[in-house]
Amino acid sequence: MDTIFALATAQGRAGVAVIRISGAEAVSATSLLCGDVPPLRGVRRLYDRLGELLDEALVLRFAEGKSFTGEEVVELHLHGSPAVVSAVLRCLGDMPDLRQAEAGEFTRRALENGRLNLAEVEGLADLIDAETESQRKQAVRVFSGALGVLADSWRTRLIRAAALLEATIDFADEEVPVDVSPEVLALLDGVSAEMLREADGVRIAERVRDGFEVAIIGAPNVGKSTLMNRLAGRDVAITSEIAGTTRDVIEVRMDLDGLPVTLLDTAGLRETDDLVEGLGVARARERAAAADLRIHLSLDGNEPHADLGPDDLLVRAKADLRAADGLAVSGMTGLGIEELIAAISLRLQDKVGRIGIAMRERHRVAMMRAIGYMDAAGTAMRTGDAMTDLVAEDLRSAIRAVDSIVGRVDVEHVLDEIFLSFCIGK
């Protein structure tokens, strides 16, 4: 396998820049730069092939099997000058046994060498992209191997169930003193129930990763854009006394108590003969219906302008101009904004509380596939409609579905898509 190298830190000026080299020629390539490569770590001067000093760097050496990739790895911790980094990369690129790493290639080698499973790779990708505290916690949970541990637990119990059935097949001509059906069915019911709980939480986990949507809806000129600007902390929407000013959906990404939230300012909901405004109203209704939560803003605080969902909020607008009971805000003065943010956060945190460990649609599909096989096996055992060897095959199929979660089988078609999200040097 080729020896690869890449800048592992961000481009641009910095205090320190790290170049990673991984593969069988990592140490010999480094020796061409500094001569004596330290057995573990040490400060060395780096020279080009003409003997010109490039930089003084901290050189770290990782033995095969103990590095991130599982291969022999050397890291060069340079001064973070773009000129220094370019010069060292150019020297490495001139070496015949080295090549520039592709996007995600270091992590892909970690997967191929058994240092990470596929779920941990996905967790690492999400950790790199994490912008909020909830995203970080969710990614760390998967990257640390929690999903792999859970999948191994399911796999162990399914193998136990399959082994019990296989025993009845192997000894079909003999008298088997114990009926294995109760234990097998109990194992299947337990695994299936756990998988269903995990599958139900995947959509919310995806929302934590990609962001919740909160739509502000209401009649024209009720103060939606002013409220949007107040929540965003800057002028992102045009406000005026003219009804129908907002024609399209305006989006603002923000961190709300550690949760990623996209606020949607929508066109005022009303009947109109204006073609362009009518398109805006239709789009507003469509985006609001798809949002995770809607703020129904009105002057009286009682009449929603769209169907009221279980997590939606009825909010009285322009609270600075009239006394109001309940949840009321003023986008102009900021009155009631903290209470509104707390109410939104409470509802979203309640959703987050239903998250398990699985966090991607791929995980959900694999779990539902496994549940389907287990349901078929359980039904056949309870009704006696199928032969034991067919039930055992259903269990083997369920085990393969579980194995696909962590990448033991059937993963080649998803690898390229996953590693495209990684930067060069990771």
Side-chain angles (χ1 to χ4, degrees):
M1 188 176 290
D2 294 341
T3 298
I4 57 174
F5 69 92
L7 178 66
T9 48
Q11 295 277 357
R13 181 182 177 187
V16 175
V18 177
I19 291 177
R20 177 180 288 163
I21 311 168
S22 179
E25 302 300 322
V27 174
S28 60
T30 305
S31 68
L32 295 177
L33 292 174
C34 65
D36 173 34
V37 180
L40 293 176
R41 61 184 178 273
V43 176
R44 296 290 188 273
R45 290 189 173 185
L46 308 182
Y47 298 89
D48 65 14
R49 58 189 178 86
L50 299 177
E52 183 177 345
L53 180 65
L54 298 173
D55 192 22
E56 190 171 64
L58 173 64
V59 179
L60 300 181
R61 181 175 174 179
F62 300 87
E64 182 179 352
K66 295 185 178 181
S67 68
F68 174 74
T69 63
E71 302 171 333
E72 193 157 45
V73 168
V74 175
E75 289 185 356
L76 307 177
H77 292 232
L78 313 166
H79 293 97
S81 157
V84 169
V85 171
S86 295
V88 175
L89 289 175
R90 187 166 54 250
C91 286
L92 292 173
D94 289 339
M95 296 180 186
D97 297 324
L98 270 66
R99 67 169 174 83
Q100 179 83 28
E102 298 174 358
E105 190 169 3
F106 288 98
T107 305
R108 186 159 190 159
R109 292 192 176 193
L111 173 67
E112 293 169 347
N113 293 323
R115 300 291 290 175
L116 299 174
N117 63 44
L118 185 59
E120 290 168 343
V121 168
E122 292 169 322
L124 177 57
D126 289 341
L127 184 60
I128 292 171
D129 292 335
E131 297 176 341
T132 68
E133 182 65 6
S134 61
Q135 290 173 327
R136 182 194 67 80
K137 288 181 178 179
Q138 178 171 285
V140 165
R141 189 163 61 246
V142 178
F143 178 50
S144 65
L147 183 55
V149 171
L150 184 58
D152 282 342
S153 170
W154 293 336
R155 187 176 192 271
T156 298
R157 282 177 278 172
L158 289 175
I159 288 175
R160 167 66 178 171
L164 289 170
L165 287 175
E166 297 283 358
T168 65
I169 297 172
D170 291 341
F171 297 98
D173 295 332
E174 303 178 21
E175 188 174 328
V176 180
V178 179
D179 180 9
V180 302
S181 297
E183 183 177 354
V184 171
L185 289 172
L187 288 168
L188 298 185
D189 290 344
V191 172
S192 183
E194 291 179 19
M195 283 189 180
L196 280 173
R197 286 195 297 271
E198 285 294 324
D200 287 342
V202 167
R203 182 183 176 277
I204 302 301
E206 287 188 319
R207 280 311 214 187
V208 170
R209 186 176 68 249
D210 301 331
F212 291 95
E213 287 193 349
V214 176
I216 305 173
I217 62 175
N221 210 27
V222 76
K224 298 185 300 300
S225 296
T226 304
L227 175 60
M228 173 78 153
N229 290 340
R230 174 66 64 171
L231 290 171
R234 62 187 191 277
D235 290 338
V236 295
I238 298 174
T239 61
S240 78
E241 297 298 324
I242 302 173
T245 299
T246 301
R247 300 295 182 94
D248 204 350
V249 177
I250 298 173
E251 303 183 13
V252 173
R253 180 89 166 187
M254 62 185 296
D255 183 333
L256 188 65
D257 286 347
L259 292 173
V261 172
T262 298
L263 286 175
L264 308 176
D265 179 24
T266 61
L269 304 182
R270 67 171 179 177
E271 299 297 326
T272 177
D273 295 329
D274 187 302
L275 177 61
V276 176
E277 184 182 359
L279 292 173
V281 171
R283 181 170 294 181
R285 292 187 183 277
E286 179 182 345
R287 289 298 301 275
D292 299 284
L293 184 153
R294 285 150 293 278
I295 300 172
H296 296 262
L297 197 63
S298 65
L299 293 177
D300 56 25
N302 294 318
E303 295 296 330
H305 291 79
D307 293 338
L308 192 65
D311 295 318
D312 290 358
L313 294 169
L314 282 172
V315 181
R316 190 186 299 271
K318 302 184 180 181
D320 58 318
L321 301 180
R322 53 179 61 81
D325 295 325
L327 196 55
V329 298
S330 168
M332 188 65 68
T333 67
L335 179 66
I337 294 297
E338 290 186 4
E339 290 78 6
L340 175 59
I341 291 175
I344 296 171
S345 179
L346 182 64
R347 281 162 170 75
L348 296 182
Q349 290 290 354
D350 181 63
K351 291 177 180 288
V352 172
R354 301 195 291 272
I355 291 176
I357 299 173
M359 63 179 190
R360 289 179 179 262
E361 179 64 11
R362 185 183 69 81
H363 304 157
R364 190 194 69 80
V365 169
M367 287 186 288
M368 295 309 296
R369 191 165 68 248
I371 289 170
Y373 287 123
M374 287 187 288
D375 286 347
T379 300
M381 290 183 66
R382 288 184 173 93
T383 61
D385 290 340
M387 292 189 299
T388 303
D389 55 346
L390 296 180
V391 175
E393 180 58 33
D394 279 333
L395 295 188
R396 286 191 288 269
S397 296
I399 293 168
R400 286 194 290 271
V402 172
D403 284 344
S404 72
I405 295 174
V406 293
R408 289 193 180 97
V409 295
D410 299 334
V411 297
E412 287 301 324
H413 65 289
V414 301
L415 290 181
D416 290 339
E417 180 181 347
I418 290 172
F419 289 116
L420 280 175
S421 68
F422 282 85
C423 57
I424 302 293
K426 192 58 182 172

